[in-house]
Amino acid sequence: MNNRAWFYGLSENGVDKLKDMEYLGSVASMSLNSDYAAALFEGKVQLHMIESDGLDQEERETRLFPKTDDTYRILCHALTGDFLIYGTNTGLIKYFYLEDWQFVNEYRHNVSVKKIFPDASGTRLVLIDEKADGFVYCSMNHNLYEIPNFSPTIKGILWENWPVDKGVFCAYDEDKIYTYVFHKDTIQGSKVILAGGTKLPFSHNPVLLHNGELTCQTQSGILSNIYLTTHSFISSLTDAAPSDLKKMLTQTLMLRRFSDAWEVCKLLDDQASWNELARACLHHMDVEFAIRVYRTIGNVGMVMSLEQIKGIEDHNLLAGHLAMFSSDFNLAQDLYLASSSPVSALEMRRDLQHWDSALQLAKRLAPNQISFISKEYAMQLEFTGDYVNALAHYEKGITGDNKFQEHDETCLAGVARMSIRMGDIRRGVNQALKHPSRLLKKDCAAILESMKQFSEAAQLYEKGQYYDKAASVYIRCKNWAKVGELLPNVSSPKIHLQYAKAKEADGRYKEAVIAYENARDWDNVIRIYLDHLNNPEKAVGIVKETQSLEGAKMVARFFLRLGDYGSAIQFLVLSKCNDEAFQLAQQHNQMEIYADVISSENTSNEDYQSIALYFEGEKKYFQAGKFFLLCGQHARALKHFLKCSNTEEDMAIEMAIETVGQAKEQLLTNQLIDYLMGESDGMPKDAKYLFRLYMALKQYREAARTAIIIAREEQSAGNYRNAHDVLFSMYTELRTHKIKIPTEMATNLMILHSYILVKIHVKRGDHMKGARMLIRVANNISKFPSHVVPILTSTVIECHRAGLKNSAFSFASMLMRPEYRNKIDIKYKKKIEAMVRRPDNTEVEEETSPCPFCGFQLPECELLCPGCKNNLPYCIVTGRHMVKEDWCACPHCDFSAIYTEYKMLLDSETTCPMCSERVTASQLKRVNDCSSYLQQDQEEP
């Protein structure tokens, strides 16, 4: 009150009066801490201890500011735990350190300081000057930061007392509170921002700010709490709507409360929010937290980049990197230049391809990089079409240093291209010719070609070995001589074609035809061979090889002019002009040729019918029948085949059988059978035709009966091989279709095969096997009526040779019958007669082997087992019965054979004795399980 002050101490027991103090003037304002009080009166501040402890501190008990010789007046003051701070009318702010009892800091503002509000530590304070402008002053670095949107009506400032939010303070007037944040470390430097405003209730006086909660004193002295709107996220995070959460995210980022922002982002769970948080972390240079955010959203590139820079201690260099990551490249450059690594600014501009800026920086920071940057800049300028500047930069880029030969070559290539673009063609072409790059020659040639400089373009293409392009450009400037030189290296058919046309126009047909061939233009090749070179053979060869329709028409017209109607018809058919070919064949009586040609093509039924009707009119029944068969008219085809003359009878019957086989109609079958039996003309035809008919109709049983008849006829006529082949083919056919084989057929085949084996064994000198087979044949001599005496004679001789004297005597006696005696060959007659007169009954006993069915031991050549009464399968090599342990089969006809005997036979023979197909020893395989063959042989009889 006035110039007096009373001091009280608050304790557990209540309030104790400590002291009262009288000052030299009326007190304007007062501040105190735990030990000291400071009172402002009449432009002076008196600092004194509240309680004197009497320990030699007289000089510290009180002090008056300013000193008497100082002329300024103190307008405001504040006391913190460590400092007395005051502001003066001359703009001076002074810090008096209580511990050392001396001034430690001063700052001069340009106008007088009206009010000051330090934070708890005193290192930062808000000052309001006489212009009512607000500033934050940092005593650590003597920097002053203007407070934005500062109201002139502000009455006071409260700093946030919560340790986490050290940079937050609020300014208030009569009805509003403004929340500000002092951001000390951002990539843009320190600055103050306005975070928001809150309405202040009437007659509330703010006294304390803690974690967004403002404590106010009302008129009645009661304390009341208000929550600042900028801190709404503290209380209502979990229940907030997405739109409110987005506002809260903005608040947390403004207040630099990243942990709270993390929780908000988790609730929002969208990429944009996480990215916003990450950008804020970069802005505030919180690298660790930024890494954590980017790792969460899976941005691997940013995580790796930040991991590389997080240990950097140079503030400006780190800020520069973060500004670059935030795409603020100008700021990044300024920060890099202010850092310990200014060359980073150059690297950034190069990476961004900001070549102008890069060159400017290179002049200051790295002159040795100018050549390389010039080259890059030139390439970009060339791409954008600024050829003048591109040329200048390519020239600047040449180093002349062998270490950078590849770089210099790129620059020289650029000089060549730009020279041509700028019209200095001679310089550009010379440069390109000297340069080792083929690609440069191609590029320069393409530019020249677009500028209609064809001769230079062609020269460069040729030097670069782009022969197709070179030839194409030489053609454009009509330089045929050069085109001719390049042709062996040219692969493009188009160029060969252009050259061929030019040569044809000059009348040089041989060169033209070669060029047309290289161009694969066969129609023009054929035309020139026919029209100009008179070489129809070549033309015909090309038509047949290429199947060219147009070429075939040209050849046909050529032959027509020559009167060669047969060839003309052939080529008309080849060119698919069937109607013209037919008319030509009709006019010139060449239908046989037309018919031959057309039957080898894919032809329609109508064409076949036309030919058939023509031959019918000409009474050529065989040809008519053939074409009726081709167009599927079986009845008419058969009628014509049966009308054929005797000269064509064999072929006609074969075709008739094929017709009936295709038709599968009973009426036509009966008609043909009647014809073959001779019912229509009283002349029965050969039985082989009936056999073939049954085979064509797949009537295998009837075919088998017929086959037996045919074989019998062949046997009677002495054609034993034919009879064998007929029976064998029928046997295999029946076996393929799983039809039971008649006993007579199987027996006849076995006897005929035994006869054929005789020759093989005798030829090999194996007389015992030969004799045994002849005994089997001689025992069935009635089946060989044409050769009874020769067979019996051979049997006597072979038995005698093999030591079977008794058998030889027995068959010699048979030969002595009157009907055979006079037919014996004179060479052998006396010998045989002597055998009969002096009989020798000795006989080599035949060896035995086991029956494959029951194992009974029986003679090797015996085919009926006395033990189990089964007919035994015989070996096609020896004629003996098969043995289970030594079984194999022919790989072609599948008839059984004794494996060891077959292998021995193949030492001297190359074919199967049964089917006459070629067999090698490697094809033979032992059969371990012969049960399938045994079942088959049981079924056959």
Side-chain angles (χ1 to χ4, degrees):
M1 182 175 155
N2 296 334
N3 66 338
R4 284 189 75 182
W6 292 265
F7 293 88
Y8 295 86
L10 299 173
S11 68
E12 290 175 2
N13 302 324
V15 180
D16 299 323
K17 183 178 174 186
L18 300 177
K19 68 185 282 188
D20 61 53
M21 184 82 181
E22 198 169 330
Y23 299 103
L24 299 174
S26 291
V27 176
S29 69
M30 203 161 186
S31 296
L32 48 87
N33 64 19
S34 57
D35 296 319
Y36 289 93
L40 172 64
F41 54 87
E42 295 173 4
K44 294 182 176 61
V45 167
Q46 185 175 346
L47 174 69
H48 61 88
M49 290 187 84
I50 297 170
E51 285 186 281
S52 175
D53 53 10
L55 297 172
D56 284 341
Q57 288 190 341
E58 290 84 5
E59 82 279 359
R60 287 195 174 208
E61 282 215 356
T62 184
R63 179 163 176 175
L64 194 65
F65 302 92
K67 291 178 184 173
T68 51
D69 53 347
D70 288 330
T71 56
Y72 57 78
R73 292 178 70 247
I74 297 172
L75 301 180
C76 54
H77 78 295
L79 198 58
T80 69
D82 297 309
F83 302 103
L84 166 68
I85 309 163
Y86 60 77
T88 71
N89 62 338
T90 58
L92 202 62
I93 296 172
K94 296 195 81 166
Y95 277 71
F96 183 76
Y97 185 34
L98 301 174
E99 180 75 27
D100 292 348
W101 205 252
Q102 65 181 24
F103 287 103
V104 290
N105 184 40
E106 72 171 54
Y107 173 76
R108 189 172 293 279
H109 190 47
N110 50 11
V111 293
S112 62
V113 179
K114 290 286 188 187
K115 294 177 184 174
I116 58 171
F117 304 94
D119 65 0
S121 65
T123 52
R124 301 172 188 159
L125 62 79
V126 174
L127 67 89
I128 302 173
D129 64 15
E130 69 177 2
K131 293 181 181 174
D133 290 334
F135 299 90
V136 171
Y137 168 67
C138 285
S139 59
M140 311 278 278
N141 54 14
H142 290 288
N143 283 344
L144 196 70
Y145 306 99
E146 187 174 358
I147 301 171
N149 306 318
F150 195 75
S151 169
T153 59
I154 294 297
K155 294 195 321 190
I157 305 288
L158 285 177
W159 283 89
E160 173 66 77
N161 281 286
W162 199 47
V164 177
D165 277 354
K166 278 196 289 193
V168 177
F169 63 90
C170 65
Y172 57 89
D173 56 18
E174 289 292 341
D175 55 3
K176 196 160 185 189
I177 306 155
Y178 303 91
T179 307
Y180 290 97
V181 189
F182 175 60
H183 290 151
K184 182 171 176 288
D185 294 316
T186 72
I187 54 176
Q188 294 163 344
S190 302
K191 61 178 180 179
V192 182
I193 63 155
L194 174 62
T198 310
K199 191 167 174 20
L200 184 66
F202 176 70
S203 74
H204 276 54
N205 191 33
V207 290
L208 180 72
L209 177 62
H210 183 269
N211 194 17
E213 188 178 358
L214 188 67
T215 305
C216 302
Q217 189 180 26
T218 61
Q219 274 182 330
S220 59
I222 298 167
L223 294 177
S224 134
N225 291 343
I226 300 167
Y227 280 101
L228 299 180
T229 54
T230 50
H231 290 62
S232 61
F233 58 87
I234 292 169
S235 57
S236 58
L237 194 60
T238 49
D239 307 326
S243 56
D244 294 332
L245 284 171
K246 286 194 173 162
K247 287 178 192 166
M248 289 177 187
L249 179 62
T250 309
Q251 290 172 4
T252 54
L253 296 180
M254 273 188 179
L255 296 170
R256 204 176 170 281
R257 290 176 69 152
F258 295 143
S259 298
D260 293 311
W262 178 277
E263 296 303 321
V264 175
C265 285
K266 271 168 55 177
L267 291 170
L268 279 169
D269 194 26
D270 70 335
Q271 192 78 7
S273 304
W274 286 111
N275 280 325
E276 198 177 338
L277 171 56
R279 282 195 299 273
C281 293
L282 295 181
H283 179 75
H284 290 290
M285 299 177 67
D286 192 340
V287 178
E288 288 289 354
F289 208 95
I291 289 171
R292 186 179 160 200
V293 176
Y294 280 123
R295 190 170 279 137
T296 301
I297 59 176
N299 190 333
V300 180
M302 281 303 288
V303 171
M304 291 176 74
S305 301
L306 291 169
E307 286 283 359
Q308 286 172 351
I309 65 164
K310 71 177 180 182
I312 293 173
E313 292 182 2
D314 183 332
H315 184 278
N316 285 331
L317 183 58
L318 179 62
H321 286 315
L322 295 174
M324 180 175 70
F325 296 156
S326 304
S327 303
D328 193 344
F329 304 118
N330 292 334
L331 174 62
Q333 179 175 316
D334 294 342
L335 288 164
Y336 281 139
L337 291 173
S339 76
S340 58
S341 175
V343 78
S344 297
L346 172 59
E347 289 166 6
M348 177 188 75
R349 290 299 182 188
R350 281 184 77 168
D351 291 343
L352 291 167
Q353 299 186 350
H354 295 169
W355 303 114
D356 264 341
S357 305
L359 277 173
Q360 296 300 322
L361 291 167
K363 282 174 191 169
R364 283 165 47 199
L365 302 170
N368 61 333
Q369 292 294 307
I370 290 173
S371 298
F372 303 105
I373 295 168
S374 293
K375 180 199 83 171
E376 301 284 355
Y377 192 17
M379 287 166 78
Q380 188 182 28
L381 290 168
E382 181 182 357
F383 184 70
T384 56
D386 186 352
Y387 303 127
V388 180
N389 287 321
L391 178 60
H393 283 292
Y394 274 129
E395 287 169 339
K396 266 192 219 168
I398 299 167
T399 63
D401 188 337
N402 285 337
K403 279 198 296 185
F404 306 114
Q405 186 178 350
E406 192 179 332
H407 164 84
D408 283 0
E409 282 179 4
T410 306
C411 291
L412 289 166
V415 169
R417 288 194 302 274
M418 295 307 98
S419 299
I420 292 169
R421 295 268 191 206
M422 299 300 298
D424 191 349
I425 290 168
R426 184 179 297 171
R427 180 190 178 193
V429 169
N430 288 339
Q431 191 79 56
L433 289 170
K434 282 191 289 181
H435 202 281
S437 167
R438 283 182 65 217
L439 195 60
L440 172 66
K441 294 178 179 66
K442 183 186 177 186
D443 291 344
C444 291
I447 297 167
L448 287 163
E449 194 179 350
S450 68
M451 294 164 70
K452 305 279 191 290
Q453 303 294 321
F454 296 125
S455 59
E456 290 89 349
Q459 184 189 1
L460 282 176
Y461 277 134
E462 188 180 349
K463 287 286 184 193
Q465 298 175 356
Y466 294 98
Y467 298 117
D468 284 17
K469 296 288 288 179
S472 171
V473 177
Y474 277 130
I475 285 170
R476 289 177 77 175
C477 53
K478 303 285 188 289
N479 189 341
W480 298 110
K482 287 295 284 182
V483 177
E485 284 175 34
L486 293 176
L487 273 187
N489 298 310
V490 170
S491 59
S492 166
K494 188 177 168 190
I495 290 161
H496 284 290
L497 192 59
Q498 286 175 292
Y499 182 73
K501 285 176 181 170
K503 287 294 162 192
E504 187 183 351
D506 291 351
R508 296 166 74 171
Y509 299 116
K510 284 187 178 172
E511 289 175 42
V513 88
I514 292 165
Y516 277 129
E517 280 179 8
N518 289 331
R520 307 186 77 74
D521 185 349
W522 303 115
D523 293 348
N524 277 319
V525 172
I526 293 161
R527 179 176 57 78
I528 289 180
Y529 272 132
L530 293 174
D531 296 354
H532 300 295
L533 298 176
N534 201 24
N535 190 343
E537 290 83 4
K538 287 287 283 182
V540 167
I542 290 165
V543 168
K544 286 181 175 172
E545 190 183 329
T546 61
Q547 297 291 305
S548 162
L549 298 184
E550 197 56 44
K553 279 185 193 171
M554 284 189 269
V555 172
R557 285 196 291 272
F558 178 82
F559 283 124
L560 205 52
R561 287 199 297 274
L562 293 180
D564 183 348
Y565 301 116
S567 300
I569 288 166
Q570 184 183 348
F571 285 97
L572 281 171
V573 170
L574 200 59
S575 64
K576 303 280 188 277
C577 299
N578 291 0
D579 291 346
E580 292 93 319
F582 183 76
Q583 287 163 13
L584 192 63
Q586 229 173 357
Q587 285 167 17
H588 300 283
N589 203 19
Q590 300 282 334
M591 193 56 75
E592 282 85 355
I593 291 171
Y594 175 63
D596 281 348
V597 173
I598 208 161
S599 58
S600 63
E601 299 285 319
N602 293 326
T603 313
S604 66
N605 285 344
E606 288 79 6
D607 287 335
Y608 286 138
Q609 189 172 347
S610 306
I611 298 167
L613 291 169
Y614 172 82
F615 283 127
E616 187 179 27
E618 295 288 314
K619 303 239 180 330
K620 294 182 177 174
Y621 299 120
F622 181 73
Q623 295 278 33
K626 185 176 160 187
F627 283 95
F628 276 128
L629 175 59
L630 282 171
C631 67
Q633 297 187 23
H634 300 107
R636 292 178 80 173
L638 183 62
K639 186 177 87 175
H640 285 82
F641 285 134
L642 299 183
K643 276 187 188 174
C644 285
S645 61
N646 290 339
T647 52
E648 293 176 326
E649 187 177 50
D650 284 0
M651 285 167 62
I653 293 173
E654 292 285 356
M655 291 301 291
I657 289 168
E658 190 183 328
T659 305
V660 170
Q662 281 185 25
K664 293 186 176 59
E665 288 179 27
Q666 192 60 44
L667 186 67
L668 297 185
T669 306
N670 293 341
Q671 204 176 328
L672 181 56
I673 289 170
D674 289 349
Y675 176 77
L676 293 174
M677 295 295 195
E679 288 185 15
S680 52
D681 56 0
M683 291 171 63
K685 307 299 179 285
D686 195 324
K688 69 181 180 185
Y689 295 125
L690 199 56
F691 168 65
R692 283 182 197 153
L693 172 63
Y694 286 133
M695 289 297 286
L697 293 170
K698 298 183 179 165
Q699 294 178 6
Y700 299 111
R701 286 190 174 83
E702 289 82 351
R705 283 198 291 274
T706 315
I708 293 167
I709 295 163
I710 294 166
R712 203 178 294 143
E713 285 177 6
E714 293 282 8
Q715 256 174 286
S716 300
N719 302 326
Y720 305 121
R721 184 84 224 185
N722 288 358
H724 176 278
D725 291 348
V726 168
L727 289 176
F728 167 71
S729 62
M730 194 63 239
Y731 190 105
T732 51
E733 201 67 48
L734 291 174
R735 195 167 62 179
T736 304
H737 292 90
K738 295 187 170 56
I739 296 167
K740 187 178 177 185
I741 291 153
T743 309
E744 188 182 355
M745 178 183 283
T747 307
N748 285 358
L749 179 61
M750 180 269 292
I751 293 163
L752 285 166
H753 190 65
S754 300
Y755 176 77
I756 283 161
L757 286 178
V758 171
K759 286 182 184 172
I760 294 170
H761 293 319
V762 171
K763 181 177 153 192
R764 294 177 66 226
D766 192 339
H767 298 292
M768 178 57 82
K769 285 189 187 128
R772 293 287 181 205
M773 289 301 101
L774 277 167
I775 290 168
R776 185 181 288 166
V777 172
N779 286 336
N780 292 278
I781 198 69
S782 60
K783 297 190 186 296
F784 301 89
S786 305
H787 297 84
V788 173
V789 174
I791 289 170
L792 289 173
T793 306
S794 299
T795 308
V796 171
I797 293 161
E798 283 302 313
C799 286
H800 189 69
R801 279 181 185 168
L804 303 175
K805 303 283 174 55
N806 192 34
S807 296
F809 169 71
S810 147
F811 292 113
S813 303
M814 198 184 286
L815 275 172
M816 289 297 108
R817 288 179 189 170
E819 65 265 29
Y820 304 140
R821 190 168 189 165
N822 295 328
K823 295 177 184 173
I824 301 170
D825 192 327
I826 295 160
K827 273 194 294 184
Y828 305 116
K829 194 171 184 180
K830 283 184 180 174
K831 197 174 178 183
I832 292 167
E833 284 173 348
M835 270 186 216
V836 174
R837 285 195 197 99
R838 290 184 294 279
D840 184 346
N841 294 329
T842 60
E843 181 103 12
V844 176
E845 196 172 325
E846 189 175 350
E847 290 183 21
T848 60
S849 58
C851 165
F853 288 102
C854 65
F856 182 85
Q857 292 287 335
L858 72 157
E860 287 179 325
C861 292
E862 185 61 57
L863 298 182
L864 181 68
C865 175
C868 59
K869 301 292 186 284
N870 276 319
N871 279 307
L872 307 185
Y874 58 92
C875 165
I876 58 172
V877 175
T878 62
R880 297 170 180 170
H881 69 73
M882 289 299 295
V883 181
K884 230 177 186 179
E885 290 71 30
D886 199 13
W887 200 297
C888 75
C890 168
H892 299 290
C893 63
D894 203 33
F895 271 75
S896 304
I898 294 169
Y899 178 75
T900 48
E901 295 286 351
Y902 208 159
K903 285 206 86 159
M904 280 163 57
L905 174 75
L906 291 175
D907 292 340
S908 56
E909 301 289 324
T910 58
T911 57
C912 168
M914 180 62 82
C915 62
S916 304
E917 294 286 342
R918 284 186 69 83
V919 181
T920 60
S922 61
Q923 287 176 287
L924 291 183
K925 299 281 183 287
R926 274 189 197 276
V927 176
N928 295 322
D929 180 13
C930 56
S931 55
S932 59
Y933 292 96
L934 292 172
Q935 283 169 9
Q936 194 176 303
D937 281 296
Q938 268 184 305
E939 286 167 13
E940 279 165 13

